[in-house]
Amino acid sequence: MALSLRSWVANDGWARLVLVLWLVANVALFWRTFMTYYSGPQYNYLHQMLGLGLCVSRASATLLNLNCCLVLLPMCRTVLTCLRGKKQVWGRGVRRVFDQSRSFHTTCGFTICFMSVVHVSAHLINAVSFSVRFSDDFPSLNMAQHRGQVLHFPGITGVLLVLILFLMFTASSNYIRLSSYEIFFYTHNLFIIFYIILMLHVVGGALKYQSNVDMHPPGCLQSNHTSLSDGVGDNQKDSSLGATETFCREEARFSPHFPVTWLWVSAPLCLYCAERLCRYVQSSIPVTIVSVVKHPCDVIEVCMMKNGFKARPGQVSCPTKKKETFCVHLRVVGDWTGGCNLTTCLFFLSYSRLLVDGPFGSPSEEVFNYKISVCVAGGIGVTPFACILHALLDGWMQYKLRRLYFVWACKDLQSFYWFADLLCTLHNKLWEENRPDYLNIQLYLSTQTEFQHLCEERYKPLSSRLRIGRPQWELLFDEIGRSNNHKRIGVFCCGPKGMSRALHSLCNSNPHPGVTFEFNTESFI
C-alpha cells in the first residue's frame, strides 16, 4: 500500500523533526569543532604535531558532551508526565514525541557508544603522533618526554569510562533485560560513577592551545636578541623579495583548556537526581495490599491502596469515587515472576515492603481525546486498555470518545478470562443505555485451528465475538475507515513488535481520503 503523506505527518512528523534537529545539531557541532582545531591559529602547532587525530578526537568529544547531556532528559519521567498532562499547551503530535522518549534515550546511548569508539581510536593515533612527531621547538606542547617514548594515555579515567560504558551497553540488550533484569538495572545505575569520572577525565589537560597568538603568530620568524631589543617586532619588508615577514615578539606559550564537560552535564544530571529523589520520597509512602488474585495462564492481579495516589485512566487501573484501589497485573515471563506463585506472592507481599513508583504518562491516556479509537492488544498487553474499560464503566458520557473498537488477540483461550467479566459488564451496560454501537469487541484466538468458545452463559456476548486465527489487519482497517469517513481515528497498540510494526505501517498507508489513523504504541517487552 502506498504511503499517505497526511497520515505519515500525523504519526511520525514531529518525531522525525526532533530527530532531524538532533542530527543537525550533532553534525554542526562536529564540523565546527573539527574546523576550529584544523584551522584555528591557537591550535596551529598542535595540529602540525597530531594532524587529523587532533580534530577527530576533539570533535567526537564535543558530541559526547552533547549526547551525555541529552541522554538523561528522556529518563526524567515525572517531568515528562507533567509536561504531557498540559494538553492545552501541547498538541497530540508533541505529546506523541514525549511517549517516544525512550527511543530518543536509546538513540543518544548508541551515539555515545559510537563516538566513544571514535574518540578512543583518535587518541590512540594521537599517542603515536606525540611520540613520532616530538617537537624540539616547543617542549611544553609535548606529552612525551623524548622522541620515541611510548605513552600510556588517556590514563585511568579513560579506561574506567570505557569499561563502565561497555557494561552498560552490553547489559542493555533485549536478551539480558528479559532473562535477568537485575543485571540491566544495576549496571545502568553506574551512570552516576560514569558522569563523575567523565567530569574528572578532562582535568589533566593533555592537549594544549597557544595562549599568546597576538604576540606569537603561527609561522612567525624567530628574531635574535639584538633585533628584539631594537624593537624589531613589527612587520618588516624584504626589499629584494617585496614580501612582508612577521617576526615573533615572544616565545610561544601553551596552556591547558579549562574543563567544559561539567557545563554540559551538570544541569541535566542535577535535574535527574532531583527527580529520582522526589520519586524515592513518593514511593516510600506505605502501600496497603487489598487483594491478590491468581488468574489463568500465570497472571497475578495485585490490588492496592496508597494515600495521595493520583492516576489518570490509561496509566493504571486507577482509583475512582466508587473505589479507592488500583490494580496491576503480573505475567510470569522471567526468573523473578517465575517463582511467584500465589502462595509465595502472598508471603512476599505480607512480609516485605512494597514500593510503588509513579504513575507516569502513557499513550493510552489519549484514547479519550478522539471520537473514534481503536485499541489493539496482544496477550498481557491488554492491561493498559483494561484501565480504559474501567473508566468507561464508571461513566462513559463524560468523555469525548463516542466509539471504541476493542481488538484482543491471545494464544490461549483461558487468557480471555482475565477481563471477561469486565468486558461483559461494560457491554451489558451500554446495551441497557441504548448504545450498543459504542463498543465493538473483536477477540482472536491466534494459535488454534478448531473452534472454541467461552462456555459460561454469562460470557455469551464474548463467545459470539470470538474468532479463530490472526486478525486480518487490512480488512479490519478498511472496514473502520469506511464506517468513519472524514474522522481522525486514534489507534493504540500494546503487543509484540510484529503487531506494532504492522499497525504502524497500515496507519501510514491509509487509503481512505479524509480519514487519518493516528498511531500510538505502548511499551511491550
Side-chain angles (χ1 to χ4, degrees), residues 207-238:
L207 303 179
K208 301 175 181 179
Y209 70 98
Q210 185 183 342
S211 58
N212 62 337
V213 176
D214 293 339
M215 302 301 293
H216 185 107
C220 65
L221 300 178
Q222 295 285 350
S223 58
N224 56 32
H225 179 74
T226 304
S227 61
L228 283 173
S229 61
D230 293 339
V232 183
D234 298 323
N235 295 342
Q236 293 188 357
K237 186 174 182 180
D238 189 332

Side-chain angles (χ1 to χ4, degrees), residues 152-401:
H152 301 283
F153 117 114
I156 188 62
T157 57
V159 173
L160 289 176
L161 287 173
V162 171
L163 177 61
I164 293 174
L165 196 59
F166 175 79
L167 292 175
M168 294 174 67
F169 178 76
T170 53
S172 299
S173 65
N174 286 332
Y175 176 79
I176 297 294
R177 285 190 293 135
L178 292 177
S179 61
S180 184
Y181 186 83
E182 291 82 0
I183 295 177
F184 164 76
F185 177 78
Y186 289 116
T187 53
H188 246 58
N189 279 324
L190 292 173
F191 80 94
I192 290 289
I193 301 176
F194 177 85
Y195 276 93
I196 293 174
I197 298 176
L198 181 65
M199 287 185 281
L200 296 175
H201 177 61
V202 296
V203 172
L207 303 179
K208 301 175 181 179
Y209 70 98
Q210 185 183 342
S211 58
N212 62 337
V213 176
D214 293 339
M215 302 301 293
H216 185 107
C220 65
L221 300 178
Q222 295 285 350
S223 58
N224 56 32
H225 179 74
T226 304
S227 61
L228 283 173
S229 61
D230 293 339
V232 183
D234 298 323
N235 295 342
Q236 293 188 357
K237 186 174 182 180
D238 189 332
S239 57
S240 61
L241 299 176
T244 302
E245 297 176 340
T246 303
F247 289 91
C248 307
R249 298 185 180 184
E250 60 183 32
E251 294 292 329
R253 295 195 303 268
F254 300 94
S255 303
H257 274 288
F258 177 78
V260 296
T261 298
W262 69 273
L263 294 174
W264 285 89
V265 303
S266 56
L269 184 60
C270 290
L271 176 64
Y272 180 79
C273 291
E275 196 226 28
R276 285 292 292 265
L277 179 61
C278 292
R279 286 169 55 183
Y280 174 78
V281 172
Q282 292 176 352
S283 64
S284 299
I285 299 175
V287 176
T288 302
I289 307 297
V290 177
S291 64
V292 179
V293 181
K294 176 69 182 302
H295 290 290
C297 301
D298 298 323
V299 171
I300 296 174
E301 178 184 3
V302 183
C303 294
M304 298 162 280
M305 293 177 59
K306 180 180 178 180
N307 292 332
F309 186 83
K310 297 180 180 180
R312 295 188 291 268
Q315 295 177 340
V316 294
S317 182
C318 58
T320 63
K321 295 180 180 179
K322 298 180 181 179
K323 63 180 182 69
E324 297 181 354
T325 61
F326 64 95
C327 304
V328 296
H329 288 71
L330 306 176
R331 177 78 185 275
V332 177
V333 292
D335 53 352
W336 184 81
T337 53
C340 191
N341 55 43
L342 185 59
T343 303
T344 58
C345 202
L346 283 171
F347 177 83
F348 171 78
L349 295 172
S350 300
Y351 294 96
S352 300
R353 186 186 180 195
L354 183 64
L355 303 180
V356 175
D357 193 12
F360 301 113
S362 166
S364 297
E365 297 177 47
E366 299 290 335
V367 169
F368 302 105
N369 295 326
Y370 295 90
K371 289 186 177 180
I372 312 294
S373 288
V374 182
C375 293
V376 181
I380 194 62
V382 72
T383 50
F385 307 133
C387 312
I388 305 299
L389 300 177
H390 275 291
L392 294 176
L393 188 60
D394 289 333
W396 59 272
M397 296 185 67
Q398 61 182 307
Y399 301 110
K400 179 181 178 180
L401 183 65

Side-chain angles (χ1 to χ4, degrees), residues 28-61:
L29 274 177
F30 187 93
W31 181 252
R32 177 177 177 272
T33 307
F34 185 95
M35 293 307 298
T36 297
Y37 282 86
Y38 183 82
S39 58
Q42 67 272 39
Y43 303 109
N44 178 74
Y45 294 121
L46 187 61
H47 178 254
Q48 289 181 11
M49 181 184 295
L50 302 181
L52 292 180
L54 168 68
C55 308
V56 174
S57 65
R58 300 318 303 156
S60 58

